[in-house]
Amino acid sequence: MTTAAATDLTTGTWNLDAAHSEVSFVVRHAGISRVRGNFTDFDATLTVGDSLADSAVEATIQVASVSTKDANRDAHLKGEDFFDAENFPVMSFRSLRAEGGDEFTLIGEMTIKGVTKEVELEAEFGGQTVDPFGMTRAGFSATTTISRKEFGITWNAALEAGGMLVSDKVKIEIDAAFVLPAAE
């Protein structure tokens, strides 16, 4: 397997390999446990320039694809109390800049429920390789924690013992594999 530093990534426009990628989240529930979920319908494009500063990523997530392995909870998340998927069907991210090397900070604009905020993702370049089918692939992982209230997602319920049912902080975890289209 051949790997390269993120700064040596092959230039060009890379397409997301969704079958080998995941967008997930973790939120504290009732102050005592964590609930995990993911989105099953998402896309991204990575444009690699001559340097990290000349590179960019844009991503979209179909909100209605949220899955927490509980149909009732998923329906609530898709509804007006949370994502309001009918009126805001897409979440998006557009990078503004990156700072660092193989482990770097990706700064960009995240839009959820019509609200756009600048966020920082702590990212790691997994490497670049040519697979057995001749496809050039690259992998990245990234995490960030956001305040859902900052994006207009404020629904909650008070607990009898104090505290709230759903935490404000949501950890987002991304594993992304990209494929460089073959030159024709």
Side-chain angles (χ1 to χ4, degrees), residues 64-145:
S65 74
V66 67
S67 174
T68 63
K69 300 180 183 174
D70 181 291
N72 290 330
R73 181 173 45 225
D74 294 348
H76 192 196
L77 289 172
K78 293 173 194 178
E80 291 179 13
D81 286 340
F82 286 92
F83 293 125
D84 194 1
E86 185 175 322
N87 293 307
F88 303 98
V90 177
M91 282 189 253
S92 64
F93 177 83
R94 182 179 64 86
S95 67
L96 299 173
R97 65 189 178 283
E99 302 168 352
D102 287 349
E103 293 184 15
F104 58 97
T105 301
L106 183 63
I107 298 103
E109 293 178 332
M110 182 176 287
T111 302
I112 302 173
K113 204 173 179 180
V115 177
T116 301
K117 296 283 183 184
E118 189 171 292
V119 297
E120 292 186 1
L121 290 98
E122 295 307 314
E124 182 178 352
F125 176 57
Q128 176 178 316
T129 190
V130 176
D131 70 18
F133 307 102
M135 300 299 294
T136 302
R137 298 179 168 277
F140 296 86
S141 59
T143 62
T144 192
T145 300

Side-chain angles (χ1 to χ4, degrees), residues 3-55:
T3 61
T7 53
D8 295 330
L9 194 58
T10 302
T11 59
T13 301
W14 296 68
N15 299 317
L16 184 73
D17 176 2
H20 295 99
S21 300
E22 183 174 45
V23 177
S24 59
F25 61 90
V26 181
V27 64
R28 189 159 293 281
H29 179 260
I32 60 170
S33 64
R34 292 186 179 123
V35 170
R36 298 177 187 280
N38 64 18
F39 295 93
T40 59
D41 187 358
F42 51 91
D43 197 15
T45 302
L46 171 65
T47 304
V48 178
D50 291 330
S51 69
L52 199 54
D54 297 327
S55 300

